[in-house]
Amino acid sequence: MSAVQQKITRFYRDEEGDWVAEMDCGHTRHMRHDPPWQNRPWVLSEPGRSEWIGTLLSCKECTDLAS
């Protein structure tokens, strides 16, 4: 089965200060900028995060529920 895609609805910081994307299904996914493993410099600025609102992400929880 292919991964279930959900749209990003907003970003917020978790208790450790890392950025988290919330999807329209209510599930979340961390969006860390931690080079060289995760290269997401766009998450560090409000304009960068705003550009990603509405983008589809794979949702592991929804994919697991669908299988």
Side-chain angles (χ1 to χ4, degrees):
M1 170 172 243
S2 61
V4 175
Q5 303 283 303
Q6 299 289 350
K7 289 182 183 179
I8 297 173
T9 57
R10 71 181 186 110
F11 289 93
Y12 66 91
R13 285 189 184 261
D14 68 7
E15 60 279 349
E16 295 178 13
D18 292 323
W19 286 103
V20 178
E22 184 175 293
M23 296 173 273
D24 55 4
C25 60
H27 296 127
T28 60
R29 186 162 143 193
H30 277 91
M31 293 283 131
R32 293 182 179 98
H33 177 59
D34 187 24
W37 299 280
Q38 298 163 332
N39 192 17
R40 297 182 183 118
W42 55 267
V43 81
L44 302 176
S45 72
E46 178 61 34
R49 291 186 303 278
S50 293
E51 287 184 28
W52 282 77
I53 301 294
T55 300
L56 292 173
L57 289 179
S58 297
C59 179
K60 182 181 180 335
E61 290 86 358
C62 287
T63 300
D64 290 347
L65 289 171
S67 40

